[in-house]
Amino acid sequence: MKLNNLKNNCSDILENKELNLNDKLLEICNLLKREIAYYDWVGFYFKNGDKDELILGPYAGAPTDHTIIPFGKGICGQVAVSNKNFVVDDVSAQDNYISCNFNVKSEIVIPLFVNGKNIGQIDIDSNTLNAFGKEDEIFLEWLNHEISKQYNN
């Protein structure tokens, strides 16, 4: 399924009044993992209160030991500090990469802003080298923007 075709599905999940935000995010993780062949792990990390660390939120894929990630550590920790998208074509070329699964070859992390503040991120791992392109980045930015609206309701 093309990424743009998933926008309606994601919007339907986010508009579902019967689900709380955590359940909506879990449904989105499951949808993306199921519909995009190269999305092998899809999850959210969020700032852990006042601590300079991320805590694992809803995800779809293999369980991970990385439930807490300090700011600056790994790709997710770097995005928490830089506030910028991070696309990794080959994780083995990254010095500051935290391996969650030896099958992972590439990763994309897009920060989630609410009222201009980075509160977390969507993290996607792929078992394929060079898996993520500009289309993924644009789609995930759109998705995080739509998710951010949930915090203002």
Side-chain angles (χ1 to χ4, degrees):
M1 179 178 279
K2 284 278 194 202
L3 292 173
N4 271 336
N5 295 345
L6 286 174
K7 285 184 176 182
N8 287 338
N9 302 78
C10 291
S11 292
D12 289 346
I13 292 168
L14 291 171
E15 291 168 11
N16 186 337
K17 303 280 189 226
E18 295 176 20
L19 298 175
N20 65 36
L21 181 55
N22 208 51
D23 291 339
K24 290 176 183 182
L25 296 178
L26 181 59
E27 290 229 2
I28 286 170
C29 290
N30 286 322
L31 172 73
L32 297 182
K33 184 178 181 307
R34 182 177 64 245
E35 297 296 331
I36 306 297
Y38 56 95
Y39 282 24
D40 294 300
W41 191 93
V42 179
F44 289 91
Y45 282 94
F46 292 97
K47 187 172 189 311
N48 190 8
D50 291 334
K51 300 176 184 173
D52 284 342
E53 65 184 22
L54 298 165
I55 188 165
L56 181 62
Y59 71 93
T64 178
D65 292 334
H66 301 287
T67 57
I68 302 282
I69 299 175
F71 279 18
K73 187 164 170 65
I75 307 307
C76 291
Q78 290 177 73
V79 169
V81 173
S82 73
N83 298 319
K84 292 185 166 85
N85 299 350
F86 202 149
V87 179
V88 181
D89 292 331
D90 181 357
V91 296
S92 69
Q94 289 294 314
D95 291 338
N96 192 12
Y97 174 71
I98 302 172
S99 177
C100 296
N101 179 326
F102 68 91
N103 291 321
V104 174
K105 303 284 188 268
S106 56
E107 181 174 13
I108 187 169
V109 180
I110 307 294
L112 173 59
F113 296 99
V114 174
N115 299 321
K117 184 176 178 186
N118 184 348
I119 65 152
Q121 55 205 228
I122 188 167
D123 175 23
I124 302 178
D125 294 339
S126 179
N127 299 342
T128 305
L129 280 171
N130 302 308
F132 306 106
K134 195 64 177 168
E135 186 182 10
D136 297 282
E137 201 170 348
I138 291 167
F139 170 73
L140 295 170
E141 287 173 346
W142 171 86
L143 178 60
N144 276 358
H145 178 74
E146 295 303 302
I147 291 168
S148 74
K149 296 175 184 177
Q150 298 288 306
Y151 290 87
N152 297 320
N153 289 340

